[in-house]
Amino acid sequence: MISFTKAETVTIRLHLNIINRSSQSFNLFELEKAIKRQLEVVFNMPQYGLAIEINTKVLYSFKLKQLYQQMVLAVTDHVKHGNPAETHFKGLLMSVNKNFVASILSNQNKRTLAHEFGHALGLDHPHAPALFKAINPNAHPLEQQIPLEELPFNLMSQTWYVQKEEVPINEALCLHPKQIQLIKHNLINNRLNQNYSIHKGLLTYHWI
């Protein structure tokens, strides 16, 4: 789950379970190291009064009911459209495509984990869905204030957007001060850790 402490610096406190639900074996302890390393690079920002503390637990053996209302990062066989990762249930479940784990471990991809965690902190894509050089009208008003020229370098822009501008993905790790302001707002106003459901047609899916 995500909690925080507040002094002069707001400190994000992340408690994350790491599991493998894919058909392939992985060293989850190496993935744990990559998670900590890559999130700390992005979200430890003392100049903006933001810090992060990360507590992780690797689970090679588990039952889903043990993870009730906990935050989970799961390696999976399939992610929609073959994307590197996606979040579900407002960030309670982060699914990582098994085909991208190697690039994450080697630091060729330092962006995916931080991007998905940004969603868990309540951030949206700052650009309009499937549109180039257009602000997302459904994003929070603070996010809509990000200048268009900064979007190719923004952590929360989708990978296709970054690549369209021919920016190396590891250079698109920036957060705008308005996004940092929104993260603090979400933490302080208890807008995170919501155990949401997903509705698909006539079915409703719950995270446990």
Side-chain angles (χ1 to χ4, degrees), residues 31-41 54-56:
L31 182 58
E32 178 184 40
K33 292 177 184 177
I35 291 168
K36 291 181 176 180
R37 180 175 62 247
Q38 294 176 14
L39 294 190
E40 286 171 353
V41 165
I54 305 170
N55 295 291
T56 52

Side-chain angles (χ1 to χ4, degrees), residues 59-71:
L59 299 174
Y60 277 101
S61 178
F62 60 90
K63 294 181 180 179
L64 285 178
K65 65 181 181 180
Q66 295 174 317
L67 304 176
Y68 178 68
Q69 289 190 341
Q70 297 186 44
M71 182 171 281

